[in-house]
Amino acid sequence: MSANPWVRPYVLTGGRTRGRRHLLVHTLVSGGGYDAAFAERLLPEARALYERVHAVAESVAELSAHCGVPLGVTRVLLADLAAGDRIEILAEGASPYDPHVLERVIDGLRELA
């Protein structure tokens, strides 16, 4: 009998499906001060995210993909790390795209149609 694939994410998040902060897939995350002793106490998935975010600022989706952690779990773990002031949320809820540029692209596509 194989292990249930949902048990591990459930355990990682303490049964939570949402973090303390709502993180969109394009929310940018960066590391604060790296603490090796703290990193050693983390579960492997949380440690991978913690170490990756200290190497490079990335979006929630990119961190999830690079670390191989499901997106929902990534959101919860990053929100926990941010609540403990271990990482920084750089652009929470903000779109990385300029709305004026998007409007011009849409207008250009309409002209082509």
Side-chain angles (χ1 to χ4, degrees):
M1 178 183 242
S2 64
N4 185 338
W6 297 107
V7 172
R8 185 74 172 153
Y10 180 87
V11 170
L12 287 172
T13 63
R16 295 171 294 142
T17 58
R18 294 186 182 156
R20 297 172 190 171
R21 298 171 83 161
H22 181 66
L23 302 177
L24 301 173
V25 294
H26 60 268
T27 299
L28 297 177
V29 183
S30 176
Y34 182 79
D35 182 346
F38 173 75
E40 287 297 317
R41 295 190 307 266
L42 294 172
L43 292 171
E45 294 81 358
R47 183 180 315 122
L49 292 167
Y50 181 71
E51 290 175 348
R52 176 83 185 182
V53 84
H54 281 84
V56 62
E58 288 185 312
S59 71
V60 172
E62 290 170 316
L63 288 165
S64 174
H66 285 289
C67 295
V69 179
L71 184 58
V73 174
T74 298
R75 285 178 165 157
V76 172
L77 295 177
L78 290 175
D80 289 348
L81 290 169
D85 291 327
R86 298 295 181 166
I87 63 170
E88 299 173 23
I89 306 300
L90 299 178
E92 185 174 16
S95 174
Y97 307 106
D98 182 348
H100 299 294
V101 172
L102 292 175
E103 288 173 12
R104 288 181 27 215
V105 168
I106 291 170
D107 290 343
L109 290 172
R110 284 187 183 135
E111 288 179 17
L112 291 173

